[in-house]
Amino acid sequence: VFPGLQGGPHNLTITALATALLQTMDPAYIEYQQQVMKNSRILADTLMNKYGYRLIGNGTDNHLVLIDVKKSKAIDGARVERIMEICNMAANKNTVPGDTSALVPSGIRIGSPALTTRGFMEEDWEKVAQFFDRSVAIAKEIKDQTGTKLKDFKAALDTKEKAEQNPKNEALKKDVTDFSRTFPTI
């Protein structure tokens, strides 16, 4: 290494790493990580077997589920992500093998740690899968009304008032809110 161009590790980085390693030795942390994996698997199984979604990797081996909504339900991840945002759900559009656009990818990525932290157990993820499937159905319906251009889809939902005009959006948002309130954030 050329002298003067590379610094050493900062104290805050060393402290953060030491703290993280200490936490991983705690039996409660191990139990939490096992629950994260159980939750991720039940979400994957429910989406595939009950709702007919195609998952990249045919399931999951970690805390993430990557759903190919285009091959499963003929809708792209960008539209589904927007509906989920409106209805108080967090997920990310994500490219899948074969995609040519990162702006309008075919997939949606859902992670299980945040909701596991709030206390979600396996049976609660079946409800999450149902909410996701309802989001996809709403996105398809709006796409059918607005046409193939993503900008037209987004324009139909670009203000709170426009988003609230769709009664299915509001019903899903209310159901998500009511369900999530049963899991405290503290």
Side-chain angles (χ1 to χ4, degrees), residues 6-77:
Q6 179 178 350
H10 294 113
N11 289 341
L12 60 98
T13 305
I14 295 168
T15 304
L17 184 57
T19 301
L21 290 171
L22 179 65
Q23 289 174 347
T24 62
M25 293 177 10
D26 185 350
Y29 181 80
I30 294 167
E31 185 180 316
Y32 164 76
Q33 287 301 336
Q34 289 170 341
Q35 189 62 50
V36 165
M37 292 301 300
K38 287 179 193 174
N39 290 345
S40 187
R41 284 190 193 107
I42 195 73
L43 176 63
D45 291 344
T46 303
L47 287 170
M48 287 190 309
N49 300 324
K50 187 173 182 180
Y51 294 103
Y53 286 94
R54 180 181 177 273
L55 273 55
I56 304 303
N58 293 321
T60 185
D61 292 326
N62 58 34
H63 64 288
L64 296 173
V65 175
L66 180 54
I67 309 146
D68 188 339
V69 288
K70 185 164 262 174
K71 286 188 179 166
S72 304
K73 304 290 180 170
I75 187 79
D76 60 81

Side-chain angles (χ1 to χ4, degrees), residues 32 35-36 39 112-120 125 183-186:
Y32 164 76
Q35 189 62 50
V36 165
N39 290 345
S112 62
L115 295 180
T116 302
T117 300
R118 288 189 65 178
F120 279 49
W125 286 89
F183 298 91
T185 56
I186 296 176

